[in-house]
Amino acid sequence: MTPLTSQYDERFRRFSRRIEKGIMIGIVACAIALTAGEILIQYVPARAFLIETERLEGVSDKP
């Protein structure tokens, strides 16, 4: 291997580790946001505020 190739490989490894770390942080953040959202919609006041169809469904104005 030439020094240029080994330098390229090392730079690529560092770059790919940063990208992989960013993807993992993104996955964890999305999982936390999804879990928090699911917990929030279990409570009626939060569900009424967050979900528009929750307000629109219900008692009809015509019997």
Side-chain angles (χ1 to χ4, degrees), residues 21-35:
K21 194 180 293 186
I23 291 171
M24 293 301 287
I25 289 171
I27 290 171
V28 169
C30 287
I32 289 170
L34 178 65
T35 303

Side-chain angles (χ1 to χ4, degrees), residues 14-63:
R14 283 186 288 170
F15 172 74
S16 62
R17 277 193 295 255
R18 281 189 283 152
I19 296 297
E20 183 180 7
K21 194 180 293 186
I23 291 171
M24 293 301 287
I25 289 171
I27 290 171
V28 169
C30 287
I32 289 170
L34 178 65
T35 303
E38 289 294 325
I39 290 170
L40 272 177
I41 63 172
Q42 297 298 315
Y43 300 107
V44 175
R47 183 173 43 228
F49 178 74
L50 293 173
I51 304 172
E52 183 178 4
T53 56
E54 192 73 25
R55 292 186 302 267
L56 300 175
E57 292 178 349
V59 181
S60 172
D61 59 344
K62 297 179 185 177

